[in-house]
Amino acid sequence: MAELQAQRGNLRDRMKLAASILAGQAKAEEEAPKKETVFENIKKQQYLKVFSFLEQVQLDPLPDHYKLAWEYLNGGNNTLRAAVDRKLDTNGRLSSETVAEILDECEGQMKVQDLNALVAESEALLAGGFKTLSKSGKESMAYAEALQTRLDWMRELDPAEQADMPIEAQFKALLKITTQMMQSTKKASESLDESTKKLSQMRSRLDEANDKAQRDQLTGLPNRWAFEQQFSAATIRAKERFEPLSVAFIDIDHFKQVNDTHGHEAGDRVLQLVAKTLDGFTRGNCHLARHGGEEFVIVLENTTTAEAKKQIDAVREDLAERSLVNKENGEPIGRITFSAGVAPFIPGEANRQVLRNADAALYEAKNTGRNQVLIYNGG
């Protein structure tokens, strides 16, 4: 532990030294300006901001920490910026675990750009395949026309001229045309086979990237980005079918205490257990996702809020009956409970408002004793 603290101290000292060097350079240049491009000056100021931010939030200058700081200060990811602001408002600082959680939470949106690039590449391959087919078709037509011309010419010869042209010469002429066409067709076929192979690989990569972009790495559940797509589709179906639709937010009670007492690895296992337990109760008309941190969200199609409360209560009671133990050291973790808030989807009401209503019901459940499921009362 002492060695680790010393290493962190060295890292922070280096960070402060780098910041002071850059600051000193900037000050010296103000006193005796040198020729420097506007871009170089802006870049230097950005580095200074990153160093200052890391020191302010008590983070060591590690790659992931630097990545988050750079994105927060200079990037355009509004979701990441909002997530950092929420953590800072709550705790006043950031931890390595928080950084990993925020980066993981925002990873889905970042990967959307990669997916778009894969789609564009796939479309280009398809266009190339169609172009190859078109070229092959045109060459086949040219071959047929050349062959027909040759045959027509041979038919128009009078018997004397045909007698003067040996059969061997006639066959050689036709064979030459046929050989050229076969070579051209073979090249087109090979090119098309290669395009088809690349397209198949591209589709596999696209499916894999799409799945990763929609999955939470820790629990394996759909992430917030995937949930928003599912929720939007579910509201459309509910309106078309005139069916009830409910949304529930679920939050693990005293989860921070589990992390602080037993460590983040134990906390991760608790998250996985709750995710598995919730996933076990969901049916075909339920869509479960990890919404971030220790919070989960469920969309229940063709389900009233009373029915949704009953189903979630059954899971809550099942989970609360278990007594968990930290497998790393054998220490008891105790019971794990959660609170939940349920709200109905009302046609004409914005999707965001439905989520806010469910969140308000969850907030009430947390503030009035925890370990319970409450339905939004419209207050």
Side-chain angles (χ1 to χ4, degrees):
M1 181 63 73
E3 183 180 351
L4 179 60
Q5 290 177 344
Q7 289 175 352
R8 288 184 172 179
N10 290 335
L11 283 170
R12 291 197 178 98
D13 289 343
R14 291 175 189 172
M15 183 173 68
K16 290 179 180 178
L17 177 60
S20 65
I21 290 172
L22 286 171
Q25 287 178 353
K27 184 177 180 181
E29 286 163 3
E30 288 177 3
E31 297 171 353
K34 297 178 182 178
K35 288 184 178 180
E36 184 181 59
T37 66
V38 174
F39 175 78
E40 288 172 341
N41 188 47
I42 291 174
K43 207 72 172 175
K44 187 178 294 182
Q45 296 304 319
Q46 288 174 330
Y47 283 126
L48 280 169
K49 286 168 61 179
V50 168
F51 284 132
S52 176
F53 176 81
L54 291 176
E55 185 176 8
Q56 179 184 346
V57 300
Q58 302 176 40
L59 282 177
D60 297 325
L62 301 175
D64 278 353
H65 300 171
Y66 183 87
K67 176 182 177 182
L68 178 131
W70 184 270
E71 281 290 330
Y72 178 75
L73 296 169
N74 306 307
N77 192 317
N78 293 327
T79 302
L80 181 142
R81 189 175 291 113
V84 171
D85 287 338
R86 283 198 304 270
K87 293 296 183 181
L88 291 177
D89 288 343
T90 304
N91 304 320
R93 62 181 295 273
L94 299 176
S95 65
S96 296
E97 292 78 11
T98 300
V99 170
E101 179 184 313
I102 292 174
L103 291 176
D104 181 57
E105 178 182 330
C106 300
E107 191 176 27
Q109 284 196 351
M110 293 175 180
K111 285 184 177 177
V112 171
Q113 296 177 352
D114 297 333
L115 289 176
N116 290 335
L118 283 172
V119 169
E121 192 175 343
S122 297
E123 290 175 346
L125 277 171
L126 278 172
F130 288 131
K131 186 176 180 181
T132 299
L133 284 172
S134 176
K135 180 181 178 183
S136 179
K138 288 178 180 177
E139 289 176 347
S140 297
M141 184 66 70
Y143 163 68
E145 290 175 355
L147 193 59
Q148 187 64 52
T149 300
R150 186 72 181 183
L151 290 172
D152 290 343
W153 174 76
M154 290 171 64
R155 287 194 191 99
E156 291 172 0
L157 294 176
D158 59 39
E161 289 175 322
Q162 291 183 22
D164 291 338
M165 177 177 284
I167 293 295
E168 183 181 354
Q170 297 177 30
F171 274 113
K172 281 184 177 179
L174 294 177
L175 183 61
K176 182 178 180 181
I177 297 173
T178 305
T179 301
Q180 289 174 344
M181 182 55 205
M182 288 176 64
Q183 290 173 345
S184 178
T185 302
K186 182 180 179 183
K187 288 181 180 178
S189 178
E190 289 174 350
S191 177
L192 188 58
D193 287 345
E194 183 65 22
S195 294
T196 303
K197 181 180 178 182
K198 287 183 178 179
L199 185 58
S200 177
Q201 293 172 346
M202 187 63 57
R203 282 172 177 159
S204 296
R205 287 171 55 199
L206 185 60
D207 290 341
E208 182 181 351
N210 186 54
D211 185 65
K212 286 183 178 179
Q214 299 187 60
R215 290 281 167 187
D216 171 60
Q217 292 183 351
L218 178 64
T219 63
L221 295 177
N223 57 21
R224 183 186 299 183
W225 182 72
F227 161 75
E228 289 178 355
Q229 315 307 310
Q230 292 172 338
F231 182 41
S232 179
T235 59
I236 293 172
R237 286 192 291 269
K239 286 186 284 190
E240 290 176 344
R241 300 170 183 175
F242 300 99
E243 293 177 346
L245 178 71
S246 299
V247 178
F249 271 123
I250 295 171
D251 189 271
I252 301 175
D253 296 326
H254 304 295
F255 183 71
K256 186 177 184 300
Q257 183 176 333
V258 174
N259 272 338
D260 292 344
T261 305
H262 302 281
H264 290 279
E265 288 187 5
D268 286 348
R269 287 193 291 273
V270 168
L271 281 169
Q272 291 168 336
L273 171 65
V274 174
K276 184 177 180 181
T277 304
L278 288 169
D279 196 35
F281 111 90
T282 56
R283 303 186 306 276
N285 65 335
C286 299
H287 308 288
L288 170 67
R290 185 184 178 192
H291 202 253
E294 63 269 29
E295 195 170 75
F296 301 86
V297 62
I298 306 178
V299 177
L300 301 99
E301 296 191 65
N302 197 21
T303 306
T304 66
T305 53
E307 292 169 337
K309 179 182 184 303
K310 182 178 180 181
Q311 292 177 39
I312 297 171
D313 253 333
V315 183
R316 180 188 58 77
E317 291 172 0
D318 174 65
L319 185 66
E321 290 176 356
R322 309 181 193 184
S323 186
L324 305 184
V325 175
N326 187 348
K327 71 176 187 179
E328 294 295 325
N329 51 29
E331 293 182 359
I333 295 176
R335 293 195 314 156
I336 295 296
T337 64
F338 64 72
S339 304
V342 181
F345 167 71
I346 301 173
E349 194 170 49
N351 290 3
R352 288 293 167 194
Q353 186 58 51
V354 180
L355 297 177
R356 281 193 286 268
N357 294 344
D359 195 44
L362 169 63
Y363 184 80
E364 184 180 356
K366 300 286 280 188
N367 284 343
T368 56
R370 293 186 172 84
N371 191 22
Q372 60 180 328
V373 182
L374 296 183
I375 298 174
Y376 177 70
N377 58 18

